[in-house]
Amino acid sequence: MRFEGTDSYVATDDLTIAVNAAVTLERPLLVKGEPGTGKTELARQVAAGLGLRMLEWNIKSTTKAQQGLYEYDAVSRLRDSQLGDERVNDVRNYIRKGKLWQAFEADQKVVLLIDEIDKADIEFPNDLLQELDKMEFHVYETGETITARQRPIVIITSNNEKELPDAFLRRCFFHYIRFPDADTLRQIVEVHHPGIKEALLTTALTQFYELREQTGLKKKPSTSEVLDWLKLLLAEDMTPEDLKRDGVNALPKLHGALLKNEQDVHLFERLAFMARRERR
């Protein structure tokens, strides 16, 4: 079972090595990188490339580790007991299985995505150490132990919003998705916008990388944002000449697809203002 990428996802050599190493070691793959560099999409493509079902657990700031195992609905059981419902005699009727439980009980190996783990409380990763390490957990309400029938391929993403505990990191295989170089980005663009004219692509990517390298930029545009930008350029049937900028107009065309906060827009407006002053 080896991941070699898919037709719809350009996986670099170091990324495929990381995925296959995690599969071989049977350890979670912890993937970090800038937002928009394809971390979440990686899990979907690993599942597609290996022909496996994928389960997705999206983490929020309020998510607790227990929710990934199961939740016991004591309120519903109390209400049913007051109504004389016979379902109350079996506590299993009030246990909702979490994504880890679903992955553990699957008859075939699955890909389990734990997306944006750094959004949760700092104790969240530590609360999953035992379950991810031993691939089992105890259900106190029923007294049973749930053990994985097939060890799932676990992919965990993080945007580096907070540091993860050392004990958790030690149990993972780590990979950082670097922002793609120009050649790799061209391959990614070809997957999403096949047949785009070379002159337009060259001009657009030149502007894009110049924008990313601008000193003082608060949020650099990512892969997903340049793909959105190119989609707009194609929809507007723009030419390389339409994209030409001078110092007077520093903002790129349709810049709302690339710049996501007012500080960065103001930065380029100031650059344009300074360029106009120098021309006088």
Side-chain angles (χ1 to χ4, degrees):
M1 182 176 287
R2 290 187 62 80
F3 176 67
E4 302 293 347
T6 67
D7 293 339
S8 58
Y9 188 86
V10 177
T12 57
D13 290 342
D14 59 340
L15 181 55
T16 57
I17 288 171
V19 171
N20 291 318
V23 172
T24 300
L25 293 172
E26 296 187 327
R27 289 190 177 276
L29 173 63
L30 174 61
V31 184
K32 291 187 178 183
E34 293 180 30
T37 50
K39 300 184 297 296
T40 301
E41 186 62 23
L42 171 64
R44 300 189 180 107
Q45 296 301 325
V46 168
L50 299 179
L52 303 176
R53 184 165 66 97
M54 192 188 88
L55 296 173
E56 188 169 347
W57 186 15
N58 297 299
I59 307 303
K60 302 177 181 179
S61 59
T62 55
T63 303
K64 303 299 180 184
Q66 180 65 30
Q67 293 172 305
L69 307 179
Y70 68 93
E71 291 183 273
Y72 171 53
D73 191 353
V75 175
S76 292
R77 193 182 189 194
L78 175 61
R79 183 189 65 237
D80 288 348
S81 68
Q82 293 171 338
L83 296 174
D85 194 323
E86 293 184 359
R87 295 175 71 247
V88 299
N89 296 321
D90 188 352
V91 68
R92 290 177 177 83
N93 291 324
Y94 303 93
I95 290 179
R96 292 197 293 265
K97 298 176 182 179
K99 296 298 183 182
L100 265 74
W101 190 331
Q102 295 173 37
F104 286 5
E105 73 174 2
D107 291 328
Q108 296 181 336
K109 185 183 288 290
V110 300
V111 173
L112 173 62
L113 169 64
I114 304 177
D115 201 24
E116 298 189 336
I117 194 173
D118 52 326
K119 280 187 176 180
D121 184 84
I122 190 62
E123 291 303 320
F124 180 92
N126 282 333
D127 291 341
L128 288 177
L129 289 180
Q130 182 85 355
E131 290 75 15
L132 292 177
D133 199 20
K134 292 191 174 183
M135 286 288 153
E136 66 177 30
F137 63 90
H138 187 70
V139 183
Y140 295 98
E141 288 76 9
T142 64
E144 61 186 324
T145 297
I146 306 300
T147 303
R149 297 176 184 175
Q150 302 282 341
R151 195 176 186 98
I153 297 172
V154 181
I155 297 179
I156 303 169
T157 71
S158 169
N159 287 326
N160 253 351
E161 291 184 8
K162 62 169 68 81
E163 289 296 323
L164 299 174
D166 289 344
F168 180 79
L169 295 174
R170 183 168 56 82
R171 289 167 168 81
C172 298
F173 189 93
F174 172 76
H175 181 74
Y176 184 86
I177 297 183
R178 293 181 175 83
F179 192 82
D181 57 28
D183 290 338
T184 303
L185 189 53
R186 281 175 174 272
Q187 295 177 44
I188 295 172
V189 171
E190 180 61 28
V191 168
H192 292 270
H193 304 297
I196 187 171
K197 292 180 180 179
E198 178 63 27
L200 177 63
L201 180 59
T202 299
T203 303
L205 291 188
T206 299
Q207 282 194 17
F208 173 72
Y209 277 104
E210 287 176 351
L211 189 149
R212 269 186 61 88
E213 293 165 6
Q214 176 62 51
T215 303
L217 203 63
K218 183 177 181 180
K219 184 195 178 303
K220 295 181 178 181
S222 66
T223 309
S224 64
E225 286 155 347
V226 72
L227 292 174
D228 287 345
W229 186 49
L230 287 169
K231 183 177 181 178
L232 289 174
L233 298 183
L234 291 170
E236 295 294 328
D237 198 23
M238 289 196 173
T239 66
E241 290 71 28
D242 294 329
L243 296 183
K244 285 184 178 178
R245 296 183 299 164
D246 53 30
V248 177
N249 185 16
L251 283 168
K253 294 289 192 301
L254 300 168
H255 62 269
L258 299 173
L259 302 176
K260 300 297 185 175
N261 59 69
E262 63 277 13
Q263 293 97 319
D264 290 342
V265 173
H266 292 161
L267 170 64
F268 282 91
E269 289 174 342
R270 286 196 300 272
L271 292 173
F273 175 74
M274 292 169 62
R276 287 195 295 270
R277 289 187 60 181
E278 290 175 1
R279 288 192 173 196
R280 291 175 182 172

